[in-house]
Amino acid sequence: MKTTIKKITILGFIGLLFSGCTGDWLSLSNPNQQTTATFWKTEDQAVSGVNGIYQALLYDGTFLRFAPACLDSRDDITWSPSPWDAFSAVAQFNLLTTNYMPEAMYVGFYDIVKRANAAIENLPNITYSTHPEYKDRLMGEALFLRGMTYSYIVTFWNHVPLILNTPHSTTDYFNPQVDASVVWAQVIKDLTEASNLLPATYDAANLGRATKGAALGYLGKAYLFNKDYTNAAKVFKQIIDLGVYDLMPNYEDNFTEAHENNKESIFEVQFQRMNQADLGWVGEPSASWDKTTARAITYAPSPFGWGDMALRKWIFDEYKIEKTKTGAYDPRLYATITFDYPGCTLYGKTFREAWPYTGADTLKWANMFYARKYENVNSGRANEFDWRSGINERLMRYSDILLMYAECQMNLNQIADAAHYIQMVRNRANLPDREAEFAGYSKDQLFEQLTHERALEFCLEGHRYDDIIRWGWNKDATKLALLKTHDAEWNGYIPGKEYMPIPNIEIQTNPKAVQNPSY
Amino acid sequence: MYKTLRNGATYAHTLKKHTGSMRLISFMLVLLINSLFAVSGYSQSLKTIKGKVTDVSGSTLTGVSVKANGTTVGTITGIDGDFSLEVPGNAKILTFSFIGMETQEISIGNSNTLNVTLKEKTINIGELVVIGYGSQKKSDLTGSIAVVDTKAVAKMATNDVTKALQGQVAGLSVQGGGEPGSVPSVKIRGIGSFGDSSPLYIIDGVATPINDYPVGDVESIQVLKDASAAAIYGSRAANGVIIITTKRGKNGKLKIDYNAYAGVQNIAKRYDVCNGVQYQSLVNLATTNALATNPSYTGSILPANNPSDSRFSTYNTDWQKEFTKTGHIQEHSVTLSGGNEITTYKTSLNYFDQTGTLVGNGPNYSRLSLSVGLDHKIGKFKLGETMNYTYVNQDLMTFVKDGTAISEMVTAIPTLPIYDSSQADGYSASNKVIDGSYSANVIGMNSMIQSNTKRYKFFGNAYAEYAFLPSLKYKLSLTYDRSDFKDFHFDPVHNLGWAYINNTAKMYDNRSSAATGTIEQTLTFDKKIGDHTINAMIGTSALDYKYNWTNAYAEGFSQPYFKEISNGTTRSATGGENENRLSSYFARLIYNYQDKYLLTASMRRDASSRFAPSYRWGSFPSAALGWKISSEEFMKEVTFVNLLKLRASWGKLGNQNIGDYMYQSNINSYASYVFNGTLNSGSAQISYKAPTIKWESKETKNIGLDAELLDSRLSFTGEYYTSKSSDMLLVVTIPYSNGVYSWLAPTINGASVRNSGFEFSAGWKDHIGKDFKYGISGNVSTLKNKILSLGYGNNPIYGTISKSSVGSSVGELYGYVIDGIFQNKSEITALNTVAAAKNGAGAVYQNLYTSPGDYKFKDLNGDGVINEKDRTSLGSSIPTLYFGLNLTASYKIFDLSISGNGSSGNKIYNAIAASLEYGGSADQYSTRMLNSWTPTNTNTNVPRVVMSDPNGNSRASSRWLEDGTYFKISNIELGVTVPSSVFNKVKINNLRFYVKGQNVFTFTKYTGFDPDFGSDGLWDRAVDHGSYANKAFNSFSGGLPNPRTFLIGAQVGF
């Protein structure tokens, strides 16, 4: 009896021993986030997924800091006194392929592409029963964002992979570069489709979304960059004829928080201070990420910001070439540049309080030119050192449409029409009406005038560098010499360096990647 | 009730009625509680036994425990070694035990007097070694198991047990800095995994982290190095296993031990940096050089360095002197232990406190721990529980920049004062326009900003063992291990340098908790049948780990600061949780034939929640054979050989040390965006995942020879192993054209690595005369690491200065080769001409503004230009040879011990030297740069200084690679044991005082702080920033080099 009990007990224990845990007990899924398998199913998800593409514009490598900084610092207006080589080396055309800036930009811009590709792939599978209008609009937004992004990618790097799908196997991770013309063709295709799908305007709640005008604007720009003036002019005229845009009476309203998404705005990146713990530079977004830009602290002069950017004297002089109808200096000068004049205040101080020099040092005042556009100089803040600025980055303004249209018309020998649109932009700056005079210019004369007008209108808006390259000034000995006179950093330029280096990390991870010439 | 319970035989009856395991568990808990109150008593005829206890030399022994077996009667010997004990008439055997001596059992027989001689305990061949789920005689081991000399380990004054293991075990590498509370990186036999490659720690049978554990509580440490030894822990054993047993109570009277030490610590080394005048002359030279040779450069002489400027600085601050201070270290522990036949107990209280060697708020580390251990033996039942509670309070170095405070200290510019009364915060701040340097006021930073982490750790384990038969035992073990964390960071309004300005006071209050619950069951059969000794075991284990966190943030605090979240004007919070589970089955057979032929075989099956259902299971088998040659007949004559054993093993181990849910692609729902001022929900798939990831496995082969000779005075172990890790789990960066950041790339089974090496350890222990005893032991091991496959199609993986590729070792150093210094313009022009001829007009050899005095790099691929294709392998970042040495000696009341360790075969990238010798900025310079190339100082190997360094003289090259070989005396200790005659009036059993020095000498050519530094541990392991940051808050803190320590201590037993 006793041994029987013992045996039963032992067997019981062995049974117990092996009644371990299996199956469902081991099936755990992430309690923090949903899986991809359950996404792209509903209308709300479609909206959320498209909103997620826009969020990729707010990265260190995109418009939170580096894209504007890279565009500006390479031109002949802006130079970089930064001890950090991410800024100074790019300004001096001396970037190593391992530099952080091109790396952050490359992955940042392709992150937009990645998100747009996922949307473009999945949106057609969703049924829009509640909001049938979403169908076209969302696809239009995704196509616009992809097309616009590729237009930046191809102008930054020139020779890049064209990825239009999400990867379905690991071999899809490794993509070869294609000729720039192939990328431009895709840009034109995406933006053409987007312009056909997008509405011209939105209700208030959706202000900031891509519009038909935005798609046309970047489409026209793509034609212009490829010197297809006929198509470009056609598209720009279409925007003008939409009748939804006009110039803001006050130029400066385009660069403050007060008048965001105004009637002059073609497309802007939406920044807003949300009082969150993190700036949100790179990687996986977190709930603690703010929606602000670091542009203001980057460009603000020391001691109000990092002072990574300063302006050359020639642009200051350029503004003074022509006075307004009332004999004043161009109002755009005061909106764009902080310099020493009575009444110049920034962050609650006068210019001379900000830099209280004495003795011989006061001579420096006459040569100090700093960024004012997009800075919170009149916000009540003492400086930019909370790193966060809520000012929207205006990527494209109606005045750019007008001047690009004028440039097309000029190239199509419609000189009078070109003069008309040039003067239209000048009028807002209260400059004398010289339309008739310009209409009598030769194409070359008008071009010279146009370069002057564009420099003043878009100073610190990232367009100057693109203009220089598409006008071929880097290949024209006279113009190159002029650039070097304007900005000694151009002495570092050698042919090929007009494009950014393919970041070393791409070269090292992608056996198909080829470095750009001269790096 | 408890009378019944005390009868073991009734347990089985009771148990039978319970079917569910939960009821069994609760029953056992009741049993445990009851057993605490169980006291036994006997009443029988008595008999008095007297006697004297001496050691081999004839000296009497005081305090020897004398007990009558089977009773609770016992005493201890007096001052003259005498004892007198009344024992029950039926008592048959007396047990004599004393610390450091072998316990003896003597039959009482008819005698009334017993004089006993106790032998000193040696680590001998009969010693039991704790292996996974059991123990085994050391002489019977077939796997590679190193038994650590815990006496040597206990001598190290450190917060971390693993730090004390440095140099103690062949094949075990311990690397780490000396920041208070730092956790070194521990590796067994090389890099076997690319994720967390630290070993699995098993403390008293339970897997739990070893950090924050008092060194003095450790009874024994075993290091399981090969697959055969570790395979029973299959799933998590790929990086080896370290089994630690802690001290438990022993049957006997209450024993009280008090140990304490206190000492001072200093950073011994300094970098030679410029004084104010030297610094200014170099910065100015760099500026004029740039202006003269680089037309794209537009700087000018900085005001602080310009004697004709009103802002010219005449300061000369020695930041290394001002920022460092003497740190303190102390530890106190009180242990109470004892027990009776049924219950033994041990309670210990430990306090450890270490303040760092830097001025300001941190780093500091203090720890208070309480541990209670109880064991009960009632008939066929054995029960026990352990409870530890630990409180850790750690102040971190408060640095708000990547890199470490220590490297920022070295590179701070001398022309700034520490304090500046014109600043609101009272500290000076570098100015971009005036100083042009990124220099941070490290003293202000470490004094104003606060970072603190508190850990509250509870560890509880209960076990119950029931012997169905003498040979068949069942064991159930339940563990709950929980840590709560409170991380605090406060950043007041400050200006500590133009890049370190904070406008609004910020506070982070992060709370998290991690809990592991484990249930383990084993059934063990252990029997000797004739010539066959069989030990067979089967078991299951289930583990659940949960982690959750809530991070609160607030900003806009007003002064005076009340540092609580509610006082911020804006507040926000984030949070989340993770969980993972493991389920395992395992079995092992240990077979011994005639004490000559040994076999161990095991099998483990594990399932992990970290893999998709169809990839969840992994199987980890092992087998080992041993031949005890010394037990053979033909060896009986060879009396000087005590043990000679040959053994060989093979096995497979697993690893799943990756994050949770790595096989599932997720949608990030924080990709929100603002439209017209309102936040709109946004979602995106940010990272890519590989759904088919599976267990990483490691196959190990080991062959070893163990010998003990000359009455076991000489011991020797030699081993050779080779291991191959396959399907290694790692994150391999995918091209950035996928829009996926490197750290968000998929985790894949993407690599295969081989490690192999020889390991030798030997020891000699003897005495000369009766008073002088000495021992020497040492170990040497080699390590060869080779990558067999890697990444996507064997595409190499690059680090900052490393390239890991098939055929190379992990993290092999990689960079440019310096080919001298350009002495004149024509050399450069000639090369540029060739470059243009080969690559088209405009192409240059190095840079457009390369000038005399710049480095000429070697054009390794001969294409006429220097670019990333001209980099090459520059040596190993992994030491290939490790060595450790222990010496002990004692003479009468004095004892001396010395430990040392070192490694060689690796190179170190001295990152601090690299920043001091950059030559292109207004940051601090090394005095070495005073010898930089100028047209009048051409006979030098230091290139010219030039702002922005257009030529890239500072690019990752062999320039800052240094030989990492070192040998350091990690510990020297001299002790004196006060003779018992001195305190015969007081109830003191033993009393010892000692003085010691740690890290007193380091023999090395390395010019950095310490060749034994903490690094990132994988691709860039060779990069030394003065020790890697201990990042509790991402990049808010930094590492410290190992300090030189002097201390005094006392050990007293009552």
Side-chain angles (χ1 to χ4, degrees), chain B residues 984-1000:
Chain B
N984 54 12
K985 290 271 161 60
V986 222
K987 275 198 164 181
I988 290 176
N989 284 337
N990 60 295
L991 178 62
R992 177 174 172 269
F993 294 102
Y994 59 88
V995 290
K996 79 169 135 194
Q998 284 180 195
N999 297 317
V1000 184

PDB file of all heavy atoms in Angstrom, chain B residues 984-1000:
ATOM      1  N   ASN B 984      41.341  38.243  25.336  1.00  0.00           N
ATOM      2  CA  ASN B 984      40.703  37.090  25.956  1.00  0.00           C
ATOM      3  C   ASN B 984      39.569  37.446  26.907  1.00  0.00           C
ATOM      4  O   ASN B 984      38.768  36.621  27.273  1.00  0.00           O
ATOM      5  CB  ASN B 984      41.734  36.208  26.659  1.00  0.00           C
ATOM      6  CG  ASN B 984      42.572  37.004  27.634  1.00  0.00           C
ATOM      7  OD1 ASN B 984      42.245  38.150  27.942  1.00  0.00           O
ATOM      8  ND2 ASN B 984      43.666  36.419  28.100  1.00  0.00           N
ATOM      9  N   LYS B 985      39.494  38.722  27.294  1.00  0.00           N
ATOM     10  CA  LYS B 985      38.416  39.116  28.203  1.00  0.00           C
ATOM     11  C   LYS B 985      37.133  39.431  27.432  1.00  0.00           C
ATOM     12  O   LYS B 985      36.050  39.413  27.976  1.00  0.00           O
ATOM     13  CB  LYS B 985      38.831  40.360  29.004  1.00  0.00           C
ATOM     14  CG  LYS B 985      39.909  40.093  30.033  1.00  0.00           C
ATOM     15  CD  LYS B 985      39.300  39.675  31.381  1.00  0.00           C
ATOM     16  CE  LYS B 985      40.325  38.972  32.272  1.00  0.00           C
ATOM     17  NZ  LYS B 985      41.486  39.835  32.588  1.00  0.00           N
ATOM     18  N   VAL B 986      37.306  39.778  26.173  1.00  0.00           N
ATOM     19  CA  VAL B 986      36.141  40.170  25.376  1.00  0.00           C
ATOM     20  C   VAL B 986      35.701  38.978  24.532  1.00  0.00           C
ATOM     21  O   VAL B 986      36.488  38.110  24.220  1.00  0.00           O
ATOM     22  CB  VAL B 986      36.485  41.345  24.430  1.00  0.00           C
ATOM     23  CG1 VAL B 986      35.366  42.363  24.410  1.00  0.00           C
ATOM     24  CG2 VAL B 986      37.800  41.982  24.780  1.00  0.00           C
ATOM     25  N   LYS B 987      34.432  38.981  24.181  1.00  0.00           N
ATOM     26  CA  LYS B 987      33.917  37.846  23.402  1.00  0.00           C
ATOM     27  C   LYS B 987      34.184  38.046  21.913  1.00  0.00           C
ATOM     28  O   LYS B 987      33.275  38.196  21.115  1.00  0.00           O
ATOM     29  CB  LYS B 987      32.419  37.696  23.659  1.00  0.00           C
ATOM     30  CG  LYS B 987      32.096  36.900  24.884  1.00  0.00           C
ATOM     31  CD  LYS B 987      30.663  36.435  24.824  1.00  0.00           C
ATOM     32  CE  LYS B 987      30.406  35.314  25.833  1.00  0.00           C
ATOM     33  NZ  LYS B 987      29.033  34.841  25.762  1.00  0.00           N
ATOM     34  N   ILE B 988      35.432  38.077  21.556  1.00  0.00           N
ATOM     35  CA  ILE B 988      35.773  38.253  20.147  1.00  0.00           C
ATOM     36  C   ILE B 988      36.440  36.981  19.650  1.00  0.00           C
ATOM     37  O   ILE B 988      37.326  36.440  20.305  1.00  0.00           O
ATOM     38  CB  ILE B 988      36.711  39.468  19.972  1.00  0.00           C
ATOM     39  CG1 ILE B 988      35.931  40.759  20.250  1.00  0.00           C
ATOM     40  CG2 ILE B 988      37.288  39.503  18.563  1.00  0.00           C
ATOM     41  CD1 ILE B 988      36.761  42.002  20.198  1.00  0.00           C
ATOM     42  N   ASN B 989      35.976  36.499  18.535  1.00  0.00           N
ATOM     43  CA  ASN B 989      36.557  35.273  17.981  1.00  0.00           C
ATOM     44  C   ASN B 989      37.763  35.568  17.118  1.00  0.00           C
ATOM     45  O   ASN B 989      38.760  34.863  17.173  1.00  0.00           O
ATOM     46  CB  ASN B 989      35.526  34.533  17.129  1.00  0.00           C
ATOM     47  CG  ASN B 989      34.519  33.820  17.997  1.00  0.00           C
ATOM     48  OD1 ASN B 989      34.799  33.513  19.156  1.00  0.00           O
ATOM     49  ND2 ASN B 989      33.351  33.588  17.449  1.00  0.00           N
ATOM     50  N   ASN B 990      37.633  36.544  16.300  1.00  0.00           N
ATOM     51  CA  ASN B 990      38.760  36.879  15.450  1.00  0.00           C
ATOM     52  C   ASN B 990      38.745  38.354  15.147  1.00  0.00           C
ATOM     53  O   ASN B 990      37.684  38.990  15.119  1.00  0.00           O
ATOM     54  CB  ASN B 990      38.739  36.061  14.144  1.00  0.00           C
ATOM     55  CG  ASN B 990      37.487  36.309  13.351  1.00  0.00           C
ATOM     56  OD1 ASN B 990      36.385  35.979  13.787  1.00  0.00           O
ATOM     57  ND2 ASN B 990      37.643  36.921  12.181  1.00  0.00           N
ATOM     58  N   LEU B 991      39.924  38.892  14.923  1.00  0.00           N
ATOM     59  CA  LEU B 991      40.043  40.322  14.663  1.00  0.00           C
ATOM     60  C   LEU B 991      41.216  40.525  13.728  1.00  0.00           C
ATOM     61  O   LEU B 991      42.325  40.046  13.979  1.00  0.00           O
ATOM     62  CB  LEU B 991      40.276  41.076  15.984  1.00  0.00           C
ATOM     63  CG  LEU B 991      40.463  42.593  15.872  1.00  0.00           C
ATOM     64  CD1 LEU B 991      39.218  43.255  15.307  1.00  0.00           C
ATOM     65  CD2 LEU B 991      40.778  43.173  17.244  1.00  0.00           C
ATOM     66  N   ARG B 992      40.954  41.187  12.611  1.00  0.00           N
ATOM     67  CA  ARG B 992      42.021  41.403  11.646  1.00  0.00           C
ATOM     68  C   ARG B 992      41.918  42.827  11.122  1.00  0.00           C
ATOM     69  O   ARG B 992      40.822  43.341  10.902  1.00  0.00           O
ATOM     70  CB  ARG B 992      41.865  40.415  10.478  1.00  0.00           C
ATOM     71  CG  ARG B 992      42.877  40.571   9.370  1.00  0.00           C
ATOM     72  CD  ARG B 992      42.744  39.462   8.324  1.00  0.00           C
ATOM     73  NE  ARG B 992      43.593  39.739   7.173  1.00  0.00           N
ATOM     74  CZ  ARG B 992      43.196  40.411   6.094  1.00  0.00           C
ATOM     75  NH1 ARG B 992      41.959  40.837   5.988  1.00  0.00           N
ATOM     76  NH2 ARG B 992      44.053  40.628   5.101  1.00  0.00           N
ATOM     77  N   PHE B 993      43.093  43.456  10.961  1.00  0.00           N
ATOM     78  CA  PHE B 993      43.148  44.785  10.361  1.00  0.00           C
ATOM     79  C   PHE B 993      43.958  44.691   9.076  1.00  0.00           C
ATOM     80  O   PHE B 993      44.862  43.850   8.980  1.00  0.00           O
ATOM     81  CB  PHE B 993      43.828  45.785  11.308  1.00  0.00           C
ATOM     82  CG  PHE B 993      43.052  46.051  12.557  1.00  0.00           C
ATOM     83  CD1 PHE B 993      43.428  45.451  13.764  1.00  0.00           C
ATOM     84  CD2 PHE B 993      41.936  46.873  12.545  1.00  0.00           C
ATOM     85  CE1 PHE B 993      42.709  45.681  14.919  1.00  0.00           C
ATOM     86  CE2 PHE B 993      41.220  47.117  13.707  1.00  0.00           C
ATOM     87  CZ  PHE B 993      41.601  46.520  14.900  1.00  0.00           C
ATOM     88  N   TYR B 994      43.664  45.558   8.125  1.00  0.00           N
ATOM     89  CA  TYR B 994      44.468  45.537   6.914  1.00  0.00           C
ATOM     90  C   TYR B 994      44.549  46.917   6.281  1.00  0.00           C
ATOM     91  O   TYR B 994      43.728  47.794   6.541  1.00  0.00           O
ATOM     92  CB  TYR B 994      43.917  44.518   5.904  1.00  0.00           C
ATOM     93  CG  TYR B 994      42.498  44.764   5.467  1.00  0.00           C
ATOM     94  CD1 TYR B 994      42.213  45.594   4.380  1.00  0.00           C
ATOM     95  CD2 TYR B 994      41.439  44.153   6.136  1.00  0.00           C
ATOM     96  CE1 TYR B 994      40.907  45.807   3.978  1.00  0.00           C
ATOM     97  CE2 TYR B 994      40.134  44.372   5.738  1.00  0.00           C
ATOM     98  CZ  TYR B 994      39.865  45.205   4.666  1.00  0.00           C
ATOM     99  OH  TYR B 994      38.580  45.419   4.274  1.00  0.00           O
ATOM    100  N   VAL B 995      45.580  47.073   5.490  1.00  0.00           N
ATOM    101  CA  VAL B 995      45.688  48.260   4.640  1.00  0.00           C
ATOM    102  C   VAL B 995      45.813  47.757   3.220  1.00  0.00           C
ATOM    103  O   VAL B 995      46.349  46.667   2.992  1.00  0.00           O
ATOM    104  CB  VAL B 995      46.929  49.126   4.974  1.00  0.00           C
ATOM    105  CG1 VAL B 995      46.760  49.803   6.313  1.00  0.00           C
ATOM    106  CG2 VAL B 995      48.204  48.322   4.912  1.00  0.00           C
ATOM    107  N   LYS B 996      45.289  48.508   2.279  1.00  0.00           N
ATOM    108  CA  LYS B 996      45.466  48.053   0.901  1.00  0.00           C
ATOM    109  C   LYS B 996      45.451  49.185  -0.103  1.00  0.00           C
ATOM    110  O   LYS B 996      44.976  50.291   0.183  1.00  0.00           O
ATOM    111  CB  LYS B 996      44.435  46.990   0.546  1.00  0.00           C
ATOM    112  CG  LYS B 996      43.062  47.477   0.221  1.00  0.00           C
ATOM    113  CD  LYS B 996      42.282  46.309  -0.366  1.00  0.00           C
ATOM    114  CE  LYS B 996      40.900  46.214   0.233  1.00  0.00           C
ATOM    115  NZ  LYS B 996      40.266  44.937  -0.067  1.00  0.00           N
ATOM    116  N   GLY B 997      46.003  48.866  -1.234  1.00  0.00           N
ATOM    117  CA  GLY B 997      46.004  49.806  -2.343  1.00  0.00           C
ATOM    118  C   GLY B 997      45.423  49.125  -3.569  1.00  0.00           C
ATOM    119  O   GLY B 997      45.706  47.960  -3.832  1.00  0.00           O
ATOM    120  N   GLN B 998      44.590  49.841  -4.291  1.00  0.00           N
ATOM    121  CA  GLN B 998      44.038  49.299  -5.537  1.00  0.00           C
ATOM    122  C   GLN B 998      44.467  50.164  -6.715  1.00  0.00           C
ATOM    123  O   GLN B 998      44.528  51.392  -6.582  1.00  0.00           O
ATOM    124  CB  GLN B 998      42.506  49.247  -5.455  1.00  0.00           C
ATOM    125  CG  GLN B 998      42.032  48.111  -4.592  1.00  0.00           C
ATOM    126  CD  GLN B 998      40.518  47.991  -4.469  1.00  0.00           C
ATOM    127  OE1 GLN B 998      40.065  47.297  -3.586  1.00  0.00           O
ATOM    128  NE2 GLN B 998      39.760  48.635  -5.336  1.00  0.00           N
ATOM    129  N   ASN B 999      44.742  49.532  -7.814  1.00  0.00           N
ATOM    130  CA  ASN B 999      45.213  50.224  -9.032  1.00  0.00           C
ATOM    131  C   ASN B 999      46.426  51.095  -8.714  1.00  0.00           C
ATOM    132  O   ASN B 999      46.505  52.242  -9.132  1.00  0.00           O
ATOM    133  CB  ASN B 999      44.124  51.117  -9.627  1.00  0.00           C
ATOM    134  CG  ASN B 999      42.937  50.322 -10.060  1.00  0.00           C
ATOM    135  OD1 ASN B 999      43.089  49.266 -10.659  1.00  0.00           O
ATOM    136  ND2 ASN B 999      41.759  50.802  -9.739  1.00  0.00           N
ATOM    137  N   VAL B1000      47.327  50.524  -7.954  1.00  0.00           N
ATOM    138  CA  VAL B1000      48.460  51.322  -7.498  1.00  0.00           C
ATOM    139  C   VAL B1000      49.451  51.555  -8.621  1.00  0.00           C
ATOM    140  O   VAL B1000      49.927  52.667  -8.827  1.00  0.00           O
ATOM    141  CB  VAL B1000      49.139  50.633  -6.298  1.00  0.00           C
ATOM    142  CG1 VAL B1000      50.257  51.508  -5.768  1.00  0.00           C
ATOM    143  CG2 VAL B1000      48.115  50.392  -5.205  1.00  0.00           C
TER     144      VAL B1000
END
